[in-house]
Amino acid sequence: MLTVTAQRPLDLKRQLLVRVSLFALIVLLLGSSVTLLETRYRVRADIQRTGDVIRQLISAEINRNSQPYDRSLRDINVDLGLLEPIGNLLGFCISMTDIYAHVVEQRCFNNRTNPPQSLTALMRVVIGSDAAYHAGIGQYPGIAVGQLAVTPDYASEALQLTTKLGQLLALSILILLLSFFVYRPVRNALAPSQAILETLDRMDRGDLRARMPAFALIELSRISSGFNRLADRLQNTIRNQQRLAHRLLSVREEERQHLARELHDEFGQYLASLNAEAAFARELADEQLPDLRPCADAIARTSSHMMETLQQILHRLRPVGLEEFGLHSSLQQLLAGWNQRCREQTVFTLDVSGDADGMPDDINVSIYRIVQESLTNAIRHGMASAVEVRLQRHDNHLLLTINDNGRQAASRAPTPAMKKSGGFGLLGMEERVLALGGELSFHQNAGSGSSVKVRLPLPAGEEDQA
């Protein structure tokens, strides 16, 4: 079985900045580490080679300037100017002591500026305080007149290290600037994403007229064109479905009207005639044939029951007074009939805000049918003790809400029986709402019962209503 792993949301612009910034930081840290290690090993290696050369030069200078009987380094004039060329190339410090451990000369070369003490201390830690060259210097082979110590010039090395780290920092800043120049085209390319999201949000809210604008980026322009074509096809399909559903409902209502007229004109007349014949039979039975009276009474009761049943069927086929008195009065009559039949076991209330009259006939019939079916479901399937019908008319739409406190089926999801009850059910309600371009929702309440909500758009002007 193929499983799809949910992808985490990804902000491309943010990821680009974060990754480039991390890359610049890694370059800076890695370059700094390499520079520090290179400085440590270079200085420690150079100090040994440089110390040996300095020892030879100072020994040669002592041999030229010393007398046969000079035994101390203090008695010998040593010119350290010969170390200046080396000192200009390599930063180092020397310290010379005599045979009595007295400091005779202590000097650093190539130290033109003094960096902060913290930076110098850092260089001592990086290079190591044991990085030094120690050797004896003598007048003749085997005769030492002093000691020579050559150490790194930590201040000079600190300045060089600062220069190198500054170059690395400049390189990192250059990488960040490069990421900025890359970020701008990416940001400009992704700028239309907000328009795409707004269009999708409008489509999700049911606005089928939403279309994506044209984009400068070729890929997004193709996506926009493909989306708009699909949106046009979807809008045309839904429009055709609504037109077909509206036509089917119109045909159904016409058939209901025709059937109601036929039943009223034909079947009603026969029942009226049958009732009149039953009355004549009772009079004849009272005068001449008393044994015929029970049969005449049975025929009268049957015809009366059939007439009452016919009136109920006619009322369901075509609401009485809907065209003459309007939707508000028809709903009041419908709920009054339910209150009378239920005998206070179930209380039906109606709340209408706004002008519920003067709307197109198809909307009036649909609202009446939806309320009629919802009341039937609340009693038949939900065993509700209270049903509230609320109708609100706004400027451009009509909102119908039917709440009940049913304890059984109404507090659960719609069952197949509820969807097909009475030949109409929730399926018929959905068909009506779809034909009118509205929205139908069925919600379960937190405690018990259910709620049916219908939102129907109203025509924009009087010409559409006509």
Side-chain angles (χ1 to χ4, degrees):
M1 180 178 180
L2 180 61
T3 59
V4 179
T5 304
Q7 299 292 331
R8 294 185 301 175
L10 177 63
D11 189 344
L12 182 58
K13 295 181 291 186
R14 180 181 178 184
Q15 288 293 325
L16 178 62
L17 290 178
V18 170
R19 291 175 183 270
V20 173
S21 300
L22 287 177
F23 177 73
L25 181 60
I26 291 174
V27 169
L28 180 60
L29 294 178
L30 186 60
S32 300
S33 302
V34 172
T35 301
L36 291 175
L37 292 176
E38 187 272 335
T39 300
R40 173 183 173 85
Y41 291 113
R42 176 183 58 79
V43 172
R44 294 177 70 90
D46 289 347
I47 202 65
Q48 300 299 325
R49 295 191 295 267
T50 304
D52 189 62
V53 173
I54 292 173
R55 181 188 63 79
Q56 295 178 12
L57 291 176
I58 292 178
S59 297
E61 183 68 15
I62 290 174
N63 290 332
R64 286 196 303 268
N65 298 329
S66 64
Q67 300 296 326
Y69 298 101
D70 292 337
R71 292 293 182 266
S72 176
L73 191 59
R74 288 179 179 275
D75 300 332
I76 303 173
N77 184 17
V78 179
D79 183 14
L80 297 179
L82 55 90
L83 300 179
E84 289 291 343
I86 302 177
N88 292 330
L89 297 176
L90 302 174
F92 59 88
C93 298
I94 65 171
S95 175
M96 293 187 300
T97 59
D98 57 11
I99 58 177
Y100 304 106
H102 296 152
V103 177
V104 176
E105 186 71 30
Q106 191 172 8
R107 181 178 175 183
C108 292
F109 297 87
N110 197 22
N111 187 12
R112 301 181 179 87
T113 57
N114 293 322
Q117 294 295 328
S118 59
L119 190 58
T120 304
L122 175 62
M123 289 306 302
R124 290 182 182 274
V125 174
V126 172
I127 298 175
S129 59
D130 59 338
Y133 175 84
H134 298 278
I137 50 177
Q139 184 177 7
Y140 299 104
I143 301 176
V145 296
Q147 292 290 326
L148 172 66
V150 182
T151 58
D153 187 356
Y154 295 104
S156 177
E157 295 295 338
L159 291 176
Q160 295 182 17
L161 179 63
T162 303
T163 302
K164 293 181 180 179
L165 293 180
Q167 294 174 353
L168 288 174
L169 181 60
L171 178 61
S172 300
I173 295 176
L174 182 62
I175 294 175
L176 292 177
L177 291 177
L178 179 62
S179 69
F180 175 75
F181 288 110
V182 174
Y183 169 78
R184 287 184 62 87
V186 174
R187 185 189 64 180
N188 295 334
L190 295 179
S193 61
Q194 185 64 31
I196 295 175
L197 294 177
E198 291 177 356
T199 304
L200 293 177
D201 185 62
R202 290 176 57 189
M203 290 287 291
D204 184 62
R205 294 196 303 267
D207 186 6
L208 299 180
R209 296 173 298 177
R211 296 295 184 272
M212 288 188 182
F215 301 114
L217 192 63
I218 297 177
E219 291 78 7
L220 291 181
S221 179
R222 292 177 180 175
I223 294 176
S224 174
S225 301
F227 177 84
N228 292 338
R229 286 195 299 270
L230 292 177
D232 292 337
R233 186 178 302 174
L234 176 62
Q235 187 177 15
N236 293 331
T237 301
I238 293 179
R239 185 184 297 114
N240 293 332
Q241 289 180 349
Q242 291 178 351
R243 186 183 299 111
L244 178 60
H246 191 274
R247 178 58 183 165
L248 291 177
L249 291 178
S250 299
V251 172
R252 180 187 297 176
E253 289 299 326
E254 293 175 359
E255 290 294 332
R256 287 172 181 265
Q257 293 180 11
H258 177 72
L259 181 60
R261 285 194 300 268
E262 292 295 329
L263 289 176
H264 181 271
D265 295 340
E266 300 293 336
F267 195 63
Q269 296 296 329
Y270 286 116
L271 287 178
S273 300
L274 182 61
N275 194 16
E277 295 294 338
F280 177 74
R282 284 200 303 269
E283 293 178 0
L284 183 62
D286 292 338
E287 294 176 358
Q288 300 178 7
L289 300 173
D291 296 336
L292 187 61
R293 180 58 187 265
C295 182
D297 292 339
I299 295 174
R301 287 194 303 270
T302 302
S303 62
S304 297
H305 178 71
M306 293 179 65
M307 183 66 71
E308 182 180 355
T309 303
L310 177 62
Q311 292 297 329
Q312 294 178 359
I313 294 175
L314 292 177
H315 182 70
R316 291 186 62 86
L317 288 176
R318 186 64 180 173
V320 179
L322 183 60
E323 297 180 356
E324 293 79 5
F325 304 106
L327 179 61
H328 192 176
S329 300
S330 299
L331 291 178
Q332 288 179 338
Q333 182 181 4
L334 176 63
L335 268 68
W338 276 103
N339 282 320
Q340 183 178 2
R341 287 193 296 272
C342 293
R343 299 177 182 178
E344 297 184 355
Q345 294 181 359
T346 302
V347 178
F348 299 86
T349 58
L350 175 65
D351 181 15
V352 178
S353 61
D355 186 12
D357 298 324
M359 294 183 297
D361 183 65
D362 53 354
I363 293 182
N364 291 334
V365 174
S366 297
I367 292 295
Y368 187 90
R369 295 297 189 192
I370 291 173
V371 173
Q372 189 179 41
E373 183 62 29
S374 298
L375 298 183
T376 302
N377 289 335
I379 298 302
R380 183 180 302 174
H381 303 286
M383 299 177 62
S385 61
V387 181
E388 179 187 11
V389 179
R390 181 178 300 174
L391 182 63
Q392 298 172 323
R393 180 174 182 178
H394 300 276
D395 294 336
N396 56 355
H397 70 277
L398 191 69
L399 184 62
L400 173 66
T401 306
I402 305 171
N403 297 316
D404 66 75
N405 62 348
R407 298 182 298 274
Q408 294 182 2
S411 62
R412 302 192 301 266
T415 61
M418 295 172 60
K419 292 183 178 181
K420 300 179 181 179
S421 60
F424 183 66
L426 294 179
L427 181 59
M429 294 163 60
E430 293 177 355
E431 292 177 354
R432 288 187 178 274
V433 173
L434 175 63
L436 297 175
E439 300 175 0
L440 171 66
S441 60
F442 185 92
H443 300 281
Q444 302 178 16
N445 296 332
S448 60
S450 60
S451 175
V452 177
K453 293 185 179 180
V454 177
R455 185 182 184 277
L456 296 178
L458 293 177
E462 295 180 355
E463 295 180 357
D464 295 334
Q465 294 183 4

